[in-house]
Amino acid sequence: MAFAALALLAAAGAGWAYHLYRAPGPLAAPAQLVIPRGGTEAIAAALDRAGVIRDPRLFGLASLATRGEGPIRAAEFVFPAGASMAQVLDILRHARPVQRRLTIPEGLAARQIAALFNRAEGLTGDLPSFAEGAVLPETYAYHWGDARAALLRRAESAMEAALAEAWAGRAEGLPLTSPREALVLASIVERETAVPEERPRVAAVFINRLRAGMALQSDPTVAYAAADGAPLDRPLSRADLERDHPFNTYRVKGLPPAPIASPGLAALRAVTRPARTEDLFFVADGSGGHAFARTLEEHNRNVARWREIERRRAGGL
């Protein structure tokens, strides 16, 4: 009789445990949670603190009883509202971790890109140093706990592949002798215009200037020199334009010794397949784009129009 009673109690206990295992949990709204390393006890404590489970001890027993279904992973997961313990364990074992993203815009200097890496939540470890222009502007997916160094290597490999592809498809007769020179020029084009359809024409101006032995006279290269690779927070001065510096393309003919930013795919393609034009000059046109010219006389008229626009904007009517 006593044995029968114990059997009934055991059956009732098992039934109650199964009910708790399948019953809705306490989580009131969907939650994104980083599951720490350190074993079942640490994971149960984190889930309890976040309100995902009610009883850490029961979670430990349930994870032990279902250990044949796979290991519990330390990662970042999303848990639905009211997730049962069975759902929680299934997520920890089989769900895809949360995918985070780091977006690197076109035209940033290495210092700015490094700041993005260092601010990215969930990345770990120190960021190795990297060369200007070595990283391809793109959106990169990563998971919580990924290393900054590993993500940086992906971004560098992406630039190497993009540059190789652009160089392989280059037009004939370009005054560029290597992929490195294409990268340098693409960085200048990227900083000169934010209008996508203008990039091939801006690239053509610089290509034509290189062919003619003219100085590139690119303001962004002078700004790069003036700020030592950081964003310049003031207008360029006459002293900047007259400064003797390898990146001052007003004083030094040809390309500067290195990129001034990380160009995107469109800029790489623009310099390797520039527009067919005889333009040698361009200046802002007041609409966000540029006015192009083949002759200095035409360019001077465009400059005069731009200065008039600036004067009006400054309230000098």
Side-chain angles (χ1 to χ4, degrees):
M1 195 71 178
F3 178 78
L6 287 173
L8 285 172
L9 286 172
W16 179 244
Y18 185 78
H19 168 74
L20 293 178
Y21 180 66
R22 293 292 182 182
L27 194 60
Q32 190 167 306
L33 181 64
V34 176
I35 302 302
R37 300 183 186 276
T40 304
E41 187 175 339
I43 291 172
L47 292 168
D48 184 44
R49 284 193 301 271
V52 178
I53 61 174
R54 287 190 177 90
D55 190 335
R57 290 173 297 178
L58 184 58
F59 175 86
L61 291 172
S63 64
L64 181 63
T66 58
R67 62 187 179 278
E69 296 180 13
I72 294 174
R73 297 167 297 157
E76 186 177 19
F77 297 103
V78 173
F79 298 91
S84 67
M85 196 168 295
Q87 287 178 290
V88 171
L89 284 167
D90 185 66
I91 288 169
L92 294 175
R93 287 177 169 132
H94 306 299
R96 289 186 176 183
V98 172
Q99 191 174 75
R100 291 177 170 265
R101 290 175 174 82
L102 172 63
T103 298
I104 302 173
E106 291 90 348
L108 295 188
R111 289 185 181 187
Q112 296 169 294
I113 295 173
L116 292 178
F117 271 89
N118 287 323
R119 289 198 303 265
E121 189 178 22
L123 288 177
T124 62
D126 294 333
L127 181 69
S129 60
F130 58 97
E132 194 72 78
V135 168
L136 183 69
E138 187 59 86
T139 296
Y140 297 92
Y142 69 95
H143 295 136
W144 186 282
D146 285 355
R148 288 183 174 84
L151 188 58
L152 174 63
R153 284 194 297 271
R154 285 171 51 199
E156 290 176 324
S157 295
M159 176 58 87
E160 291 171 4
L163 181 57
E165 181 182 357
W167 185 251
R170 68 191 182 278
E172 293 182 0
L174 294 178
L176 303 172
T177 62
S178 67
R180 170 72 174 179
E181 289 192 351
L183 177 64
V184 172
L185 184 55
S187 74
I188 297 173
V189 171
E190 192 69 78
R191 296 291 296 138
E192 282 283 5
T193 181
V195 181
E197 57 269 23
E198 278 194 352
R199 290 190 183 106
R201 196 168 182 184
V202 170
V205 169
F206 290 129
I207 291 291
N208 292 340
R209 281 179 164 262
L210 288 172
R211 285 189 177 125
M214 299 171 63
L216 295 184
Q217 295 185 337
S218 169
D219 287 358
T221 66
V222 181
Y224 185 85
D228 194 25
L232 188 64
D233 58 1
R234 58 170 177 78
L236 287 175
S237 67
R238 181 173 295 278
D240 294 327
L241 296 173
E242 294 176 351
R243 182 184 177 192
D244 187 13
H245 192 283
F247 281 86
N248 185 351
T249 55
Y250 279 82
R251 292 180 61 87
V252 180
K253 289 184 178 180
L255 294 167
I260 61 171
S262 277
L265 289 170
L268 291 170
R269 291 167 181 159
V271 300
T272 51
R273 302 195 72 84
R276 294 186 177 182
T277 173
E278 296 179 1
D279 294 332
L280 288 170
F281 307 92
F282 63 89
V283 67
D285 64 2
S287 68
H290 294 84
F292 295 83
R294 290 183 298 171
T295 67
L296 182 59
E297 181 182 9
E298 184 183 359
H299 176 62
N300 286 338
R301 289 196 296 269
N302 291 336
V303 170
R305 280 194 290 269
W306 169 239
R307 287 177 177 167
E308 177 63 18
I309 291 170
E310 286 188 307
R311 187 181 68 81
R312 290 181 179 179
R313 287 177 177 175
L317 285 175

